[in-house]
Amino acid sequence: MLTKLRSLAGRRLYYTVNFVAGIAIFFFGYDQGMMGGVNTAPDYVETMKLGYSTYEGPSEGYVVTITKPTRQGGIVSIYYLGTLLGCLMGGILGDRIGRLKTMMVGGLWVMFGAALQCSAQNIAWMLCARIINGIGTGYLNAVVPVWSAEVSTHTSRGAFIALEFTLNIFGVVVAYWLEFGLGYIGDGRTQFRWRFPIAFQILPVCVFLLCLSFMPESPRWLIKVGRTEEARAILGRLRADNGNPEDERANAEFEDIMEIVSMEKQHSKRNSYWAMFWGIDSGDLHIARRVQLSVWLQIVQEWVGIAAITVYAPTIFAGAGYSSRKSQWLSGLNDVTYMLATLMAVVTIDRWGRRVGLWWGAVGQGIALILAGAFSRLLKDHPDNASQYGGAAAFFVFLYTAIFGATWLTIPWVYPTETFPLEVRAKGNAWGVVGWSIGNGWLTLLNPVMFNSIHENTLHIFGAVNFLSIPLVWALYPETANRTLEEMDLLFASKSAWVWDEEAHFKKLKEANPQVEHTHALERKGGASVAHLDTPQETRVDTEEKS
């Protein structure tokens, strides 16, 4: 069957690419969701000296009590130090040796880290293994979305990545229910209860690595390194159902990419992480602005509350008055709701755009979190109405998760894959993963402390952050939906960082040359410039737009 992958073309090929990328994203979700169940395994808690467990009868089983929440949060959060290091390493390799080889390197890191984690005997061993596993995940997070975005069309780019995140949350669901079921084996105190789920992540990574050897390299990266004939052939396979390299749409896209690559190569000094962060030699391309937008969008994604809900949902449901076993059931059902809600993003992310999704998502999430916290407080103050207030708190946790899955889950991951020039696209997406690592690492360390100290008020803090994100998106994040990757240089060409100025400048640049879809040649001393458009020698019709 695998040999047939080499002969795929057209929609079948880039749907297959999307599915293979989704296997990596499935692993990513599984790896994140796995620690929620591991943290409730009595043998793990006692091995890592995080607390103790007590037997509460056959209906509840063993229930753990965490006495060192900071240590517990540290084991979870140090993984994100690894992802931060791994994404920076992966961004460099992704632009240097290609998308496929870099993903293979990341997969090997993951397998090594998983093997070390599932055999850990003490906290020091576990911490080192978590870092190594995180490095591999950082590699994959930096490059997999870029690879997927570069082979898809600009009208389906967002939907493709959103569909991958349905598989991501499916990974969370699999991790949760696997660990829930293992809690019924024996007396629930076995090592198998937490070591097997950690080892299980090796399986999807092996499948992913096997499939990669049959997948096409990014044609944009191939053009960047001068392998133009390979790129033309792959574009033909991706855009034409018969795999014809002379397909009109494939040729039009090939010329677009060639044009921007020739311009970007003249300014290679801006390609280091240092130069990108400070915008050195980027001129009107404003690379530093794009870096800041990517980093902060990912940080805010974590601060809108998902880190608390995903990892500490059982704690929230227990605080809402449910028993330990029922809280675990509710958490599992919440994850299923989360996964199903991502399908809405597949439909809306390209149709409604990135900005609208972030806006309505923030409003819905903020209301849901504040009400979940309020009903949790009422439950404590009025225990006689436990069933009503507890049920309401649980409902709003479910509502929050559904809205997040339909909006904020996918958009911050799509945005960095779209906004950077080809020459630094993998490094650009790595900056997004840096923001995600900072936001996640910070919060997984703080969450247990916050819930122990201020209890349900933690949800109020995250609810307020949702509302604060609305003016941030409105003022600073331009729309990228249904714009080609090659158009992004024009979108960010304005000297002003305000969205309304960027959109007006973009419109001006497009109107200056109405018969040409993309124009990129413009330079000035000290950096690349797209401040005006050259008049082309020939008029080329964008056949992809007409199709």
Side-chain angles (χ1 to χ4, degrees):
M1 185 185 77
L2 289 174
T3 55
K4 293 182 179 179
L5 295 176
R6 296 189 186 278
S7 60
L8 292 177
R11 290 180 179 272
R12 293 174 62 192
L13 175 58
Y14 66 75
Y15 284 157
T16 303
V17 168
N18 188 243
F19 176 76
V20 172
I23 297 174
I25 302 297
F26 166 86
F27 148 75
F28 167 40
Y30 179 89
D31 201 35
Q32 271 198 298
M34 171 195 71
M35 285 306 293
V38 169
N39 281 334
T40 63
D43 184 77
Y44 170 81
V45 169
E46 292 161 8
T47 300
M48 301 301 158
K49 297 180 170 51
L50 305 178
Y52 61 91
S53 62
T54 54
Y55 186 69
E56 299 189 2
S59 63
E60 299 297 323
Y62 281 90
V63 178
V64 300
T65 300
I66 303 298
T67 58
K68 296 183 178 179
T70 304
R71 177 178 289 190
Q72 180 195 44
I75 293 175
V76 176
S77 64
I78 202 169
Y79 169 83
Y80 299 103
L81 172 61
T83 62
L84 191 152
L85 297 173
C87 73
L88 295 175
M89 296 158 64
I92 293 172
L93 279 186
D95 284 330
R96 185 171 298 173
I97 67 172
R99 314 317 191 203
L100 294 182
K101 290 181 180 178
T102 303
M103 289 186 287
M104 290 179 181
V105 171
L108 295 176
W109 273 95
V110 165
M111 293 172 69
F112 182 46
L116 288 176
Q117 275 191 90
C118 69
S119 59
Q121 302 296 321
N122 52 58
I123 190 169
W125 188 331
M126 190 67 174
L127 289 172
C128 291
R130 293 280 292 166
I131 291 176
I132 292 171
N133 193 259
I135 289 173
T137 305
Y139 267 84
L140 297 179
N141 286 349
V143 180
V144 171
V146 170
W147 177 55
S148 180
E150 288 182 338
V151 301
S152 62
T153 64
H154 68 279
T155 55
S156 63
R157 187 172 60 237
F160 267 28
I161 298 178
L163 186 59
E164 289 169 11
F165 275 88
T166 299
L167 292 173
N168 174 263
I169 306 307
F170 180 57
V172 175
V173 171
V174 170
Y176 187 88
W177 287 107
L178 174 63
E179 291 171 323
F180 183 81
L182 290 175
Y184 287 94
I185 295 178
D187 59 2
R189 292 174 55 84
T190 64
Q191 294 186 32
F192 188 78
R193 178 174 174 178
W194 65 274
R195 294 191 188 276
F196 176 75
I198 295 175
F200 183 80
Q201 66 187 287
I202 296 175
L203 179 61
V205 175
C206 286
V207 174
F208 173 67
L209 293 179
L210 180 63
C211 292
L212 273 186
S213 59
F214 296 88
M215 292 293 101
E217 180 58 271
S218 161
R220 286 172 165 84
W221 180 81
L222 289 171
I223 291 173
K224 189 189 81 167
V225 298
R227 294 160 60 179
T228 55
E229 292 307 312
E230 289 180 63
R232 189 186 292 275
I234 289 174
L235 277 172
R237 288 180 61 198
L238 288 167
R239 302 296 178 250
D241 289 334
N242 60 1
N244 180 16
E246 300 303 322
D247 177 76
E248 196 172 4
R249 287 187 303 168
N251 276 330
E253 189 172 349
F254 178 82
E255 295 300 328
D256 273 344
I257 302 169
M258 288 288 290
E259 188 175 354
I260 195 169
V261 166
S262 65
M263 183 272 287
E264 290 176 351
K265 282 189 175 181
Q266 298 174 28
H267 303 281
S268 58
K269 291 182 180 179
R270 66 163 186 254
N271 291 352
S272 68
Y273 285 120
W274 178 262
M276 290 175 68
F277 186 82
W278 296 107
I280 297 172
D281 197 41
S282 69
D284 287 344
L285 291 172
H286 299 117
I287 301 299
R289 184 189 305 169
R290 309 189 208 191
V291 168
Q292 294 297 327
L293 292 177
S294 298
V295 170
W296 282 104
L297 188 60
Q298 288 279 27
I299 290 175
V300 173
Q301 183 199 42
E302 299 309 315
W303 273 94
V304 297
I306 191 59
I309 299 298
T310 301
V311 180
Y312 296 98
T315 303
I316 295 170
F317 291 129
Y322 294 99
S323 67
S324 174
R325 190 71 77 185
K326 187 171 287 187
S327 295
Q328 292 173 5
W329 271 100
L330 286 171
S331 297
L333 293 174
N334 188 47
D335 288 338
V336 173
T337 302
Y338 192 9
M339 179 187 71
L340 295 176
T342 61
L343 296 174
M344 182 175 178
V346 176
V347 176
T348 61
I349 191 169
D350 287 320
R351 185 171 301 174
W352 294 357
R354 319 308 188 225
R355 285 162 59 85
V356 172
L358 293 174
W359 286 335
W360 82 263
V363 171
Q365 290 162 189
I367 293 173
L369 285 176
I370 289 173
L371 290 176
F375 280 110
S376 295
R377 180 74 256 177
L378 287 171
L379 173 65
K380 290 182 179 179
D381 294 340
H382 305 281
D384 293 340
N385 296 322
S387 60
Q388 295 95 323
Y389 292 141
F395 169 78
F396 284 110
V397 169
F398 271 71
L399 180 63
Y400 167 85
T401 305
I403 296 173
F404 183 89
T407 56
W408 274 81
L409 170 67
T410 53
I411 295 172
W413 285 100
V414 172
Y415 209 82
T417 68
E418 301 176 306
T419 51
F420 287 94
L422 171 61
E423 192 73 10
V424 292
R425 189 164 293 140
K427 291 191 185 76
N429 193 54
W431 276 115
V433 182
V434 166
W436 174 82
S437 301
I438 293 171
N440 240 318
W442 189 5
L443 278 177
T444 51
L445 184 61
L446 287 177
N447 268 331
V449 178
M450 293 172 71
F451 276 109
N452 283 340
S453 300
I454 60 175
H455 310 292
E456 71 282 344
N457 288 324
T458 302
L459 302 181
H460 294 150
I461 292 174
F462 293 138
V465 172
N466 276 277
F467 292 110
L468 292 174
S469 72
I470 295 172
L472 180 73
V473 171
W474 173 73
L476 296 174
Y477 286 83
E479 184 60 71
T480 58
N482 297 309
R483 286 170 170 162
T484 68
L485 296 176
E486 285 67 44
E487 282 183 304
M488 296 304 162
D489 288 349
L490 305 184
L491 182 61
F492 287 96
S494 170
K495 295 184 184 300
S496 171
W498 302 117
V499 166
W500 46 89
D501 291 329
E502 290 180 323
E503 290 290 352
H505 194 63
F506 176 78
K507 184 178 180 181
K508 180 180 177 181
L509 292 176
K510 296 285 287 181
E511 288 177 349
N513 226 324
Q515 296 188 35
V516 180
E517 178 66 21
H518 318 302
T519 315
H520 306 283
L522 300 167
E523 298 176 20
R524 69 180 185 190
K525 292 182 179 179
S529 173
V530 285
H532 64 279
L533 290 173
D534 290 341
T535 302
Q537 297 297 320
E538 299 177 359
T539 298
R540 177 171 51 75
V541 178
D542 187 339
T543 55
E544 181 174 343
E545 284 291 296
K546 288 184 176 297
S547 58

